[in-house]
Amino acid sequence: MNMPLKKKPVSGMKDILPIEMQIREYVLEVIRSTYRSFGYTAIDTPAVEHIENLSSKQGGDNEQLIFKILKRGEKLSLQNAESENDLCDSGLRYDLTVPLVRYFAAHENELPTPFKALQIGNVWRADRPQRGRFRQFTQCDIDIIGDASSAAEVELILATAQALTKIGFKGFQIRVNDRRILSFMASYCGFGEEEQTEVFASLDKMEKIGNDGVLAELEEKGFDSVKIKKVLDIIAVLQKLGRESDASSLMKQLALLLKGYLNPHVAADLGTVINNILALKTSEWEIVFDPTLVRGMGYYTGTVFEVNVPELGGSLGGGGRYDKMIGAFTGKNVPAVGFSLGFERIILLLMERGFVVPEQSERRAYLIEKGVENSKVIEIMQKAQLEREQGEIVLVIWMNKNKKFQIEQLQKEGYTQIVDVYLEDSKPT
Amino acid sequence: MNMPLKKKPVSGMKDILPIEMQIREYVLEVIRSTYRSFGYTAIDTPAVEHIENLSSKQGGDNEQLIFKILKRGEKLSLQNAESENDLCDSGLRYDLTVPLVRYFAAHENELPTPFKALQIGNVWRADRPQRGRFRQFTQCDIDIIGDASSAAEVELILATAQALTKIGFKGFQIRVNDRRILSFMASYCGFGEEEQTEVFASLDKMEKIGNDGVLAELEEKGFDSVKIKKVLDIIAVLQKLGRESDASSLMKQLALLLKGYLNPHVAADLGTVINNILALKTSEWEIVFDPTLVRGMGYYTGTVFEVNVPELGGSLGGGGRYDKMIGAFTGKNVPAVGFSLGFERIILLLMERGFVVPEQSERRAYLIEKGVENSKVIEIMQKAQLEREQGEIVLVIWMNKNKKFQIEQLQKEGYTQIVDVYLEDSKPT
């Protein structure tokens, strides 16, 4: 006798039940076909990545959340292991950006320039489990590698907005900012360049932990209290001014606030991004300038952006420009910008809204009474096959004893045509 | 400065380049839509599985090939660890069957009866790397849980043959056998029931290591040499008789050979499977009875089957009935039968054949010369968007310095319409 099975999935991960799976497959197909229509090229990378690449400091806090994989065979020596890293040579990827950068570095010569990549795949983070947040989840990333112009940002944002619109979202807001604008602000407040990554990491938590939380964290990190006060005051003023689709008026006020610290070229570039998107967008969503937007990752060098929907606290996705990340790995900088959709949040929202996948095929079920002669079964299966060829989904199954319950279940699954096949002599008259 | 990146994927795993990815996505969509038309329900399970479930002895040799995942936080104690298992609480799944059985056990009450599952996903095995064999690979499994009748086998085989046909395979052969027939043969040769799993495991290697190899292995395992000779002689006779779609004549000869050891009900059931498939199949492939077919896994209890194509040594997939596996885990037997497609081999074969994905959309590229005024760029992007809405794939990119090379690359990717957009004053006349 075997050990009894552990029935539940491992802690923090989940089985996908049929109804959710239908929605996931539908949404993935919408995302895939939308991005494909913009000329993005699908790629795939292994789930397992070198531990060195995952620990390169590009991954920020996610590097604390790696599922590490044990070495195998002779390479594993329990006796000589002094730390975790002696036991592991690889881990599960925590995002799709590190693998993308490795992929690009390995295959650059085989890829078009610029390279517009679409990568959809699972990532793993050993986060504390909490509602709606899982340790395995799907990400959908598009990235443009090799285009330094703001046309890349415009297209990433338009393509993503179109995918969200096709899924059925309306009235969402895409906020944009530029890390360099944050940097000008930090410089104006007296923070040195080397301090800024830490300052931004704290400012990024504003929505989660509030002004006081950020204040406490910055003090704890040991920053000068005058500088902290200055930066928090500016943020408060900017928040009052609000987010603006008329970027130039907000930019003017920002320039006044920062008294000469704002580089006009950077401001103009961001203005172009926003104005071009305003000129090109055709559906109901907003693009706004939000000079308080940070985005967590340390590797961003320019524009950053984030999608929010009114009814959801967090974001549905985001991204930004990371012109120095490839160089940090390979020694040669290549401009890059990416947008990552929060697939799991999209699914969660759709499930909560009771979203039903638009049915493209008629669903028909043949319920065959047990004992029906073989020739009759063959005849039904032939008929079913012809119907499948005409685009129907056709199920041929045995009739259960509790036929009423069986039919109810089938109707729930979307079977509208249910045909009973009885034994000749038991056919109801 | 960061550590330089390791550019290659981890040993034995691979990056999927754009051309292969196109084929993979196409084939997956054909498989998915074919199985869906038969009423299979897509599900998904986590890549990470409890180490106990992966080590239940149901996985055969694959249990030696697990990528094990290190415990995290307080649960990991390097000092007190005496063996690998003290360090690990989970591992990457090596097949989709163990997770399916766990899934069914956990969610039985929420699933239809019978449950027809489609699961497509990656699995991981720390096999010695070799050509065309990778440590991460995709499997496509269909399973019917809760149907003890041979109608389940008939449908699994027909659905799979149809998927292969739609992908473009012709002339493949599906061999079927029944583990109980092998068992009768082993009993006739004098092997006890408890010896048979080991005997079958060796017989399964006949194609790989030949008659002498199997002989040596069985002797090494310590089996009686008279019994070994007897079973190998019968196999040799059966191989001479060949594989037969007219199962009944081969079955008659087998009955003569086994002198009363062949249970006629089992023989008749298998005959029904073959005859019904012969009656139902509509395309060019063969279904044959092969009394020497074993299939490696220990958990099979009845029919086993395997697809072969003429030009390929190995198989394109296979499966069988495993009526006792769910019971071994949960204490309650539920009939189950499954067919697993060897997705990676299918892709490998298609790549070798120079398969080209049938293009459904026109591909158009706008090459914009650097410096073109912004209003013109917007105009092109608007035009592109309208063309996308008409079903085209439209790329808008900057013109590279080496335009000739860029155009060649685009043509390779399938772009047939390439439109240059020049600065007003540099337009060639």
Side-chain angles (χ1 to χ4, degrees):
Chain A
M1 184 60 198
N2 295 65
M3 291 269 293
L5 173 82
K6 284 197 170 184
K7 288 189 186 181
K8 283 192 185 165
V10 297
S11 170
M13 301 195 191
K14 71 167 177 175
D15 291 326
I16 313 289
L17 286 170
I19 301 246
E20 178 176 344
M21 193 69 187
Q22 260 193 323
I23 299 177
R24 293 174 78 94
E25 290 198 323
Y26 171 77
V27 171
L28 279 179
E29 189 44 38
V30 172
I31 293 172
R32 220 180 257 130
S33 64
T34 305
Y35 286 147
R36 208 184 271 146
S37 79
F38 279 81
Y40 288 85
T41 303
I43 65 158
D44 201 12
T45 58
V48 180
E49 187 54 71
H50 300 288
I51 198 76
E52 296 88 341
N53 294 352
L54 295 176
S55 316
S56 68
K57 304 273 183 293
Q58 296 286 344
D61 287 348
N62 293 330
E63 299 192 3
Q64 307 309 314
L65 307 175
I66 302 172
F67 283 97
K68 294 181 179 173
I69 293 174
L70 210 64
K71 291 181 181 173
R72 293 151 305 283
E74 291 169 4
K75 288 183 188 157
L76 179 67
S77 164
L78 253 167
Q79 290 82 354
N80 302 325
E82 285 169 15
S83 74
E84 275 187 31
N85 287 338
D86 296 327
L87 296 168
C88 301
D89 53 4
S90 55
L92 295 177
R93 61 185 180 197
Y94 48 72
D95 72 7
L96 299 176
T97 305
V98 171
L100 171 70
V101 168
R102 187 191 54 64
Y103 181 100
F104 181 78
H107 308 287
E108 186 174 356
N109 293 332
E110 301 157 79
L111 300 173
T113 313
F115 182 47
K116 297 175 64 174
L118 163 62
Q119 194 179 181
I120 297 175
N122 287 324
V123 302
W124 292 264
R125 293 180 196 169
D127 237 328
R128 214 169 332 133
Q130 50 186 298
R131 186 184 160 276
R133 214 154 158 187
F134 294 94
R135 289 179 161 190
Q136 169 178 316
F137 55 98
T138 300
Q139 284 196 334
C140 304
D141 282 18
I142 49 169
D143 292 85
I144 301 180
I145 300 182
D147 186 353
S149 81
S150 61
E153 274 88 341
V154 170
E155 206 211 65
L156 285 177
I157 292 172
L158 283 173
T160 303
Q162 194 178 313
L164 288 172
T165 303
K166 284 200 178 159
I167 294 165
F169 288 101
K170 275 179 200 163
F172 51 89
Q173 198 179 51
I174 300 188
R175 295 181 290 149
V176 291
N177 193 13
D178 192 304
R179 270 293 174 90
R180 291 167 295 177
I181 291 177
L182 285 167
S183 191
F184 302 142
M185 183 169 75
S187 300
Y188 169 74
C189 297
F191 291 103
E193 214 175 305
E194 69 295 346
E195 297 178 314
Q196 295 186 359
T197 306
E198 280 298 316
V199 173
F200 296 158
S202 297
L203 290 181
D204 189 42
K205 297 181 186 160
M206 189 63 85
E207 270 180 47
K208 254 193 228 160
I209 61 177
N211 192 76
D212 292 350
V214 174
L215 174 68
E217 192 174 298
L218 286 172
E219 280 175 345
E220 206 185 310
K221 284 179 177 173
F223 291 112
D224 182 85
S225 60
V226 177
K227 296 180 192 171
I228 297 176
K229 190 176 177 308
K230 215 165 169 185
V231 79
L232 289 178
D233 282 350
I234 289 189
I235 297 273
V237 173
L238 290 173
Q239 281 177 333
K240 252 196 202 146
L241 290 172
R243 302 159 179 176
E244 267 299 339
S245 58
D246 178 5
S248 58
S249 74
L250 185 51
M251 203 68 87
K252 267 179 210 152
Q253 307 209 39
L254 188 62
L256 286 176
L257 268 174
L258 300 187
K259 301 184 185 76
Y261 275 80
L262 186 71
N263 179 327
H265 294 296
V266 171
D269 262 9
L270 189 62
T272 305
V273 170
I274 292 173
N275 287 330
N276 281 7
I277 289 172
L278 284 171
L280 284 161
K281 82 182 191 65
T282 52
S283 47
E284 288 173 51
W285 54 278
E286 275 189 295
I287 175 89
V288 295
F289 172 40
D290 178 357
T292 68
L293 177 71
V294 181
R295 296 288 300 165
M297 304 302 283
Y299 51 65
Y300 289 124
T301 56
T303 27
V304 287
F305 29 82
E306 189 169 299
V307 204
N308 296 84
V309 281
E311 66 262 55
L312 191 74
S315 83
L316 278 194
R321 185 168 275 283
Y322 51 100
D323 283 351
K324 291 183 179 163
M325 185 170 171
I326 294 174
F329 278 129
T330 65
K332 194 184 110 203
N333 279 341
V334 180
V337 56
F339 204 136
S340 178
L341 268 180
F343 179 72
E344 302 294 340
R345 280 169 167 263
I346 291 173
I347 299 301
L348 193 71
L349 260 187
L350 293 178
M351 299 277 289
E352 282 175 0
R353 289 179 180 180
F355 179 80
V356 177
V357 172
E359 190 67 72
Q360 277 129 16
S361 311
E362 176 105 74
R363 282 178 184 260
R364 182 190 299 271
Y366 291 99
L367 297 191
I368 304 181
E369 192 178 12
K370 291 240 168 86
V372 164
E373 55 275 41
N374 189 46
S375 60
K376 183 77 186 172
V377 175
I378 290 182
E379 189 192 300
I380 296 293
M381 286 180 82
Q382 274 164 337
K383 210 169 155 206
Q385 194 45 41
L386 291 176
E387 287 158 351
R388 285 182 197 119
E389 273 153 32
Q390 278 148 31
E392 288 188 21
I393 291 176
V394 188
L395 186 69
V396 180
I397 50 172
W398 300 111
M399 196 179 285
N400 286 347
K401 275 181 201 145
N402 189 343
K403 193 180 109 181
K404 195 164 157 275
F405 180 65
Q406 189 177 21
I407 289 177
E408 279 169 18
Q409 275 193 314
L410 287 170
Q411 285 168 337
K412 259 190 225 159
E413 289 174 68
Y415 287 91
T416 50
Q417 309 290 323
I418 299 179
V419 185
D420 297 334
V421 183
Y422 288 104
L423 269 164
E424 267 317 306
D425 53 3
S426 74
K427 192 178 282 181
T429 49
Chain B
M1 183 63 195
N2 295 65
M3 291 268 294
L5 174 82
K6 283 196 168 183
K7 286 190 187 181
K8 282 192 185 166
V10 297
S11 170
M13 301 194 192
K14 70 167 178 174
D15 290 326
I16 312 289
L17 287 170
I19 301 245
E20 178 175 346
M21 194 68 188
Q22 259 194 324
I23 299 177
R24 294 174 78 92
E25 291 199 324
Y26 172 77
V27 170
L28 279 179
E29 189 44 37
V30 172
I31 292 172
R32 221 179 257 131
S33 64
T34 305
Y35 286 146
R36 209 184 269 147
S37 79
F38 279 81
Y40 288 85
T41 302
I43 65 158
D44 200 11
T45 59
V48 180
E49 187 54 71
H50 300 286
I51 199 77
E52 296 88 342
N53 293 352
L54 294 175
S55 316
S56 67
K57 304 275 183 293
Q58 296 286 346
D61 287 348
N62 293 331
E63 299 192 1
Q64 307 309 314
L65 307 174
I66 302 172
F67 283 97
K68 293 181 181 173
I69 293 174
L70 210 63
K71 290 181 183 174
R72 293 151 306 282
E74 292 169 6
K75 288 181 188 162
L76 179 66
S77 164
L78 253 167
Q79 290 82 353
N80 302 325
E82 286 169 13
S83 74
E84 275 187 32
N85 287 339
D86 295 328
L87 297 169
C88 302
D89 53 4
S90 55
L92 294 177
R93 61 186 180 198
Y94 47 73
D95 73 7
L96 300 176
T97 306
V98 170
L100 171 70
V101 167
R102 186 190 54 65
Y103 181 98
F104 182 78
H107 308 288
E108 188 175 357
N109 294 332
E110 300 157 82
L111 301 172
T113 313
F115 181 47
K116 298 175 63 175
L118 162 62
Q119 195 180 178
I120 296 176
N122 287 324
V123 303
W124 292 263
R125 293 180 196 168
D127 238 329
R128 213 169 331 132
Q130 50 185 300
R131 186 185 160 276
R133 216 156 155 185
F134 292 95
R135 288 178 161 193
Q136 168 176 316
F137 55 99
T138 300
Q139 284 197 332
C140 304
D141 282 18
I142 48 169
D143 292 85
I144 302 180
I145 300 181
D147 186 353
S149 82
S150 61
E153 274 87 342
V154 171
E155 205 211 65
L156 285 177
I157 291 172
L158 284 172
T160 303
Q162 195 179 311
L164 289 172
T165 302
K166 284 199 176 157
I167 294 166
F169 288 101
K170 276 179 199 163
F172 52 89
Q173 198 179 52
I174 300 188
R175 295 181 291 147
V176 290
N177 193 14
D178 192 303
R179 271 292 174 88
R180 291 167 297 176
I181 291 178
L182 284 167
S183 192
F184 302 142
M185 184 170 74
S187 300
Y188 168 75
C189 297
F191 290 104
E193 213 175 305
E194 70 295 347
E195 298 177 315
Q196 295 185 1
T197 306
E198 280 297 315
V199 174
F200 296 159
S202 296
L203 291 180
D204 188 43
K205 298 180 185 161
M206 190 65 85
E207 270 180 45
K208 252 192 228 161
I209 61 177
N211 193 75
D212 292 350
V214 175
L215 175 68
E217 191 173 301
L218 286 172
E219 279 175 346
E220 204 185 311
K221 283 179 177 172
F223 291 112
D224 181 84
S225 61
V226 177
K227 295 180 194 172
I228 297 176
K229 190 176 177 310
K230 217 167 168 184
V231 78
L232 289 177
D233 282 352
I234 290 188
I235 298 273
V237 173
L238 289 173
Q239 281 178 332
K240 251 195 198 144
L241 290 173
R243 300 159 181 179
E244 270 296 341
S245 59
D246 178 6
S248 59
S249 75
L250 184 52
M251 204 65 88
K252 268 180 209 152
Q253 306 208 43
L254 187 62
L256 287 174
L257 268 173
L258 300 187
K259 300 185 184 77
Y261 274 80
L262 186 70
N263 180 327
H265 294 298
V266 171
D269 262 10
L270 189 61
T272 305
V273 170
I274 292 173
N275 289 329
N276 281 7
I277 289 171
L278 284 170
L280 285 161
K281 81 184 192 64
T282 52
S283 47
E284 288 174 53
W285 54 278
E286 276 189 294
I287 174 90
V288 296
F289 173 40
D290 179 356
T292 69
L293 177 71
V294 181
R295 297 288 300 165
M297 302 303 284
Y299 51 65
Y300 289 126
T301 56
T303 26
V304 286
F305 29 81
E306 188 169 299
V307 204
N308 296 83
V309 281
E311 65 264 54
L312 190 75
S315 82
L316 278 195
R321 186 167 275 283
Y322 52 100
D323 284 350
K324 291 182 179 161
M325 186 172 171
I326 295 174
F329 277 129
T330 64
K332 195 183 108 201
N333 279 340
V334 180
V337 56
F339 204 135
S340 178
L341 268 180
F343 179 73
E344 302 294 339
R345 280 170 166 263
I346 291 173
I347 299 301
L348 193 71
L349 261 186
L350 293 178
M351 299 275 290
E352 282 174 2
R353 289 179 181 179
F355 179 81
V356 176
V357 172
E359 190 66 72
Q360 276 130 16
S361 311
E362 176 106 73
R363 279 177 187 263
R364 181 190 301 270
Y366 290 99
L367 297 191
I368 303 181
E369 191 179 12
K370 292 239 169 89
V372 164
E373 55 276 41
N374 189 46
S375 60
K376 182 81 183 167
V377 175
I378 290 183
E379 188 192 304
I380 296 292
M381 287 181 84
Q382 272 164 338
K383 209 167 156 209
Q385 195 44 40
L386 290 176
E387 287 158 351
R388 286 182 196 120
E389 273 153 33
Q390 278 148 31
E392 288 188 21
I393 291 176
V394 188
L395 186 68
V396 180
I397 50 173
W398 299 111
M399 197 179 285
N400 287 346
K401 275 181 203 147
N402 189 342
K403 192 180 111 181
K404 194 163 157 276
F405 179 66
Q406 188 177 22
I407 289 177
E408 279 170 18
Q409 275 192 314
L410 287 170
Q411 284 167 337
K412 261 191 220 155
E413 290 174 68
Y415 287 90
T416 51
Q417 310 291 322
I418 299 179
V419 185
D420 297 335
V421 183
Y422 288 105
L423 271 163
E424 267 317 305
D425 52 3
S426 72
K427 194 179 282 179
T429 46

